[in-house]
Amino acid sequence: MYHHVKKLMFTVRVDEPDPRFGNMLLEQFGGANGELAAAMQYSIQGLNCEDPDRKDLLMDIGTEELSHLEVVGTLARMHLKPAKFDRQAAEADPLIAIAGGGGVNLFNSQGNAWTADYLKITGELDVDLRSNIAAEARAKIVYERLINFCDDAGTKDALQFLMTREITHMRAFALALESMAKPAFSIGRIAPTPGLVDQFFNDSTGTGDHGEIDTRGPWNEGNGWVFTESPAIQAEPGASAAIVAESSPPDDQAGLSDLLFDELRDILHAEKQLTKALPKMAEAARFDQLRELFEQHLAETENQVERINECFELLGKTVRAKPCKGMTGLIEEGQEIMAEGEEKEDAAADLALIGAAQRVEHYEISAYTTAKNLAQQLRHSAVVALLSKSLAEEENSDQLLNQVARSLMSVAKMPAAIEQAE
């Protein structure tokens, strides 16, 4: 919930209005690095953020940027005021004077309309925080340039205030990123190709008296870097190491192949146990919709067993299950819930049964996700495709169980509602 307080964060004072400078100020009102862009970028990132602590940070700073927008807008309006009535001032920017009546609007200093294309929102918190640090740095430079082109003391004070807050925000974003304890280059979830990631391509070469030299520094030598000549001159004598092909077989020093094999064996036993448990769960269900859902998932589970067997064949491994104690425990818990449900009302019994079923689904979702990620890292694309299909079925089943649960909760409330009506 937003509330506008009719008081600026910084009291704006303009001694000598300058319409041309007012036009420059619009860069921070409706420009790519301006306050509206920052407010929208951080606020929308905050709306998307699942991390409550950093969501609070994004919403706090996004809201402050709206305050800065009001400060910049007030400052620009005061500088542009002569364009309302003075012909010479109006000629400084006819768009502002004629179309806008000498006031501010969502345009940058060149008259280009504000656009959402300015916003950098990826939905990956660490990536967005890096974008925000860069945005604050760019805005700081814009304010610095505005200060350098300004002669009005009051305006300079306001711009100094706004410029300083950019550094504050940059520090906050940087510390939030640091607090996530993510390695600097661990972007996303898919690891880069080993070898290729350490190659620096010397793609700009030449000799001469005007600086056309091949410079070496910490960005292309030492610290694991492999200095590699440009692909365009790979055929030349004395060229350094060839480019590491992206299709190169992955390094399995960490034993990922064995780990994937163990995960598949565990999933196979889990699914086989579930093929025996699901008919009992279907029989225990009181409502037709839930019973049909269990029967549908039984057919899916039988297909999932076949897919796991196919994964073994693709990997050249013997099909052999490994006892899955986790699924054994979940099924035993489900049996207890079914026994206790015999004494419960229909809706309550089925809701408890859904809870047991969803614990199973979440366990399977975790198992399939781990196996799929391992297969992806090892570049077993056919195995990834099979596991992805089963994972999608498990996630869909979980969503369907949620829908049935919501319906049953409505049914469970009905008697109480009827009593109140009476």
Side-chain angles (χ1 to χ4, degrees):
M1 183 182 296
Y2 290 90
H3 181 86
H4 179 232
V5 178
K6 300 179 184 69
K7 179 180 177 182
L8 296 178
M9 288 188 74
F10 184 92
T11 301
V12 173
R13 188 185 84 254
V14 172
D15 299 320
E16 293 291 335
D18 182 347
R20 290 183 181 275
F21 188 73
N23 177 275
M24 293 183 186
L25 284 169
L26 292 180
E27 195 61 39
Q28 283 302 87
F29 192 78
N33 302 305
E35 302 296 351
L36 179 62
M40 293 298 96
Q41 179 165 309
Y42 307 156
S43 298
I44 295 171
Q45 288 173 356
L47 291 173
N48 291 332
C49 187
E50 302 291 342
D51 180 329
D53 295 339
R54 290 161 190 82
K55 176 173 184 169
D56 185 54
L57 163 72
L58 291 164
M59 298 306 288
D60 282 345
I61 297 181
T63 303
E64 183 180 342
E65 300 291 8
L66 286 173
S67 300
H68 292 181
L69 182 71
E70 188 175 12
V71 172
V72 173
T74 301
L75 195 61
R77 179 179 57 79
M78 293 170 73
H79 275 284
L80 293 169
K81 190 173 181 180
K84 287 178 176 288
F85 53 81
D86 183 89
R87 167 67 182 268
Q88 187 175 357
E91 288 176 350
D93 195 318
L95 175 67
I96 293 173
I98 306 303
V104 297
N105 210 326
L106 288 179
F107 294 92
N108 66 8
S109 59
Q110 299 177 71
N112 298 318
W114 188 90
T115 169
D117 289 341
Y118 293 154
L119 309 187
K120 303 295 181 285
I121 301 166
T122 69
E124 292 289 335
L125 181 56
D126 59 318
V127 176
D128 283 343
L129 287 172
R130 288 185 174 92
S131 292
N132 296 352
I133 293 167
E136 296 292 332
R138 289 191 297 270
K140 195 273 183 187
I141 290 300
V142 174
Y143 276 125
E144 188 171 306
R145 289 170 180 167
L146 287 168
I147 289 171
N148 289 338
F149 288 127
C150 180
D151 296 321
D152 184 77
T155 301
K156 279 192 171 186
D157 288 343
L159 295 174
Q160 177 70 28
F161 169 81
L162 294 165
M163 183 190 74
T164 300
R165 294 305 296 170
E166 305 299 334
I167 298 298
T168 304
H169 296 167
M170 193 187 308
R171 287 172 54 199
F173 288 137
L175 291 170
L177 179 62
E178 182 182 325
S179 70
M180 293 176 68
K182 285 194 69 173
F185 304 108
S186 62
I187 309 299
R189 292 164 182 78
I190 300 175
T193 302
L196 181 63
V197 72
D198 297 319
Q199 285 191 290
F200 183 91
F201 296 153
N202 185 31
D203 282 334
S204 175
T205 60
T207 57
D209 299 327
H210 303 288
E212 303 98 335
I213 59 174
D214 292 337
T215 306
R216 304 299 295 274
W219 55 87
N220 64 14
E221 67 179 353
N223 299 316
W225 283 117
V226 178
F227 191 76
T228 305
E229 294 297 351
S230 164
I233 58 174
Q234 280 289 317
E236 291 188 6
S240 55
I243 297 172
V244 175
E246 191 160 350
S247 58
S248 302
D251 185 0
D252 193 30
Q253 290 180 355
L256 298 187
S257 292
D258 290 341
L259 184 56
L260 173 60
F261 183 45
D262 284 343
E263 288 290 335
L264 293 174
R265 291 179 60 202
D266 191 83
I267 294 173
L268 179 60
H269 188 249
E271 296 290 27
K272 285 185 173 180
Q273 290 185 78
L274 196 56
T275 57
K276 298 177 181 177
L278 279 168
K280 297 177 184 177
M281 297 172 77
E283 185 178 351
R286 312 279 181 86
F287 287 84
D288 292 341
Q289 191 178 7
L290 182 58
R291 183 182 306 108
E292 291 169 3
L293 183 55
F294 285 142
E295 290 170 350
Q296 173 188 324
H297 195 51
L298 173 61
E300 288 178 337
T301 303
E302 290 169 346
N303 289 332
Q304 289 165 5
V305 170
E306 293 305 314
R307 288 192 201 112
I308 295 294
N309 290 337
E310 190 174 344
C311 287
F312 282 119
E313 292 177 14
L314 289 167
L315 295 171
K317 299 284 188 179
T318 303
V319 178
R320 184 160 50 94
K322 170 187 173 184
C324 179
K325 297 178 182 178
M327 183 61 78
T328 300
L330 288 170
I331 288 175
E332 288 176 356
E333 186 178 37
Q335 290 172 339
E336 291 176 7
I337 287 171
M338 285 187 282
E340 294 169 358
E342 294 177 0
E343 307 297 325
K344 295 179 180 178
E345 297 290 333
D346 289 351
D350 274 4
L351 283 168
L353 191 56
I354 288 172
Q358 287 194 288
R359 282 190 283 276
V360 168
E361 292 304 328
H362 293 175
Y363 183 85
E364 289 189 296
I365 288 169
S366 297
Y368 275 113
T369 299
T370 299
K372 186 194 79 168
N373 289 343
L374 287 168
Q376 201 164 37
Q377 180 64 24
L378 293 164
R379 300 186 203 147
H380 295 306
S381 56
V383 174
V384 170
L386 291 169
L387 295 175
S388 296
K389 189 169 184 179
S390 294
L391 175 60
E393 289 174 349
E394 301 296 0
E395 291 172 338
N396 183 60
S397 180
D398 182 50
Q399 290 300 314
L400 292 173
L401 286 167
N402 271 334
Q403 292 175 16
V404 175
R406 283 195 290 270
S407 298
L408 291 179
M409 286 177 185
S410 299
V411 170
K413 290 178 182 177
M414 287 175 63
I418 292 170
E419 289 176 9
Q420 290 176 4
E422 292 174 352

